[in-house]
Amino acid sequence: MIRTLTTAALAAALLASAGAAAAQDAPAGGSWSFEFGAATDNRSKDASKSNGESYAYGTAEWESASGLFYAGPSFETIKSSTGSSLELEAAAGLRPQWAGFDFDLSAAYKYQVNADPGADEDAWEFTGDMKRSIGPAKARLRLQYSPDSTGATKAWTWYEAQLGWAFTDKLSASAALGYREQENSVDYTGYNVGMNYAVTKNLEAELRWYGTSVDNPSEQYADAIVAGISVAF
């Protein structure tokens, strides 16, 4: 209970700060960006949200002129235990810089369309990233938390460390290791490694292997090689 209240207070503070930043940047304008993509599996926190089936997604993001504040909607196809096949999201966040590190702090509301009657079809998700780039090397630490997930899962926390390397302007690789604690669901370690290739300025291809520590896993937690492609403008 205390943890939930603390998280709610932090989220409120984040949204209040984001609102203030938006108000300050509004006169200077801002810019929109869009991304659409598809892949052979919808992987989140190294587990499948589509039970191993292909999916599509799209995002629209407005960023303030200073680059500090951003917000926007997105969608992705899923195969949820709630009976839903489409998830919508509205998110807002801040991207400050401090002591040579880049931070990304966000709050997102997720809603699963046409879920079964009585199913828990919505959730809040809070994310904090700390990033650092030195030459071709990149590193990221991520902490995510939800006080009450969709479906039967209640609160969960995800911890992840990621390392990446840019071989050329077009080719890069990365690997990540994470751990997820879940109420009313399985705790597990997740990992992935893969490569990204910029086919053109706007088109990117990705090939990545995902795995988890779950014994006798269902399609949700089974190892998989996932191929994807995305276009951004």
Side-chain angles (χ1 to χ4, degrees), residues 65-77:
S66 68
L68 176 63
F69 175 76
Y70 67 94
S74 65
F75 76 87
E76 60 182 291
T77 59

Side-chain angles (χ1 to χ4, degrees), residues 49-68:
K49 296 178 67 174
S50 57
N51 272 351
E53 297 181 4
S54 59
Y55 88 112
Y57 71 90
T59 65
E61 181 184 291
W62 178 85
E63 185 179 72
S64 65
S66 68
L68 176 63

Side-chain angles (χ1 to χ4, degrees), residues 35 57-58 99 105 114 140 148 158 164 197 199 206-207 215 220:
E35 181 177 338
Y57 71 90
L105 311 171
N114 292 329
R140 184 189 73 189
D148 186 6
W158 172 253
Y197 183 76
V199 182
E206 180 178 18
L207 186 65
D215 294 329
Q220 182 178 4

Side-chain angles (χ1 to χ4, degrees), residues 199-222:
V199 182
T200 68
K201 178 181 178 181
N202 303 103
L203 185 66
E204 182 172 273
E206 180 178 18
L207 186 65
R208 188 164 297 273
W209 172 77
Y210 293 89
T212 72
S213 62
V214 178
D215 294 329
N216 301 315
S218 61
E219 286 292 340
Q220 182 178 4
Y221 298 106

Side-chain angles (χ1 to χ4, degrees), residues 82 112 115-116 118-123 148-154:
T82 66
Q112 296 186 351
D116 296 333
D120 188 355
E121 76 281 4
D122 65 343
D148 186 6
S149 188
T150 55
T153 304
K154 300 304 180 182

Side-chain angles (χ1 to χ4, degrees), residues 55-129:
Y55 88 112
Y57 71 90
T59 65
E61 181 184 291
W62 178 85
E63 185 179 72
S64 65
S66 68
L68 176 63
F69 175 76
Y70 67 94
S74 65
F75 76 87
E76 60 182 291
T77 59
I78 59 174
K79 190 174 181 181
S80 174
S81 60
T82 66
S84 174
S85 59
L86 177 65
E87 184 173 272
L88 305 179
E89 176 181 313
L94 299 169
R95 295 191 179 112
Q97 295 179 324
W98 182 76
F101 290 90
D102 297 320
F103 293 87
D104 191 336
L105 311 171
S106 66
Y109 174 74
K110 299 188 174 186
Y111 178 77
Q112 296 186 351
V113 180
N114 292 329
D116 296 333
D120 188 355
E121 76 281 4
D122 65 343
W124 280 93
E125 185 172 307
F126 308 105
T127 303
D129 287 346

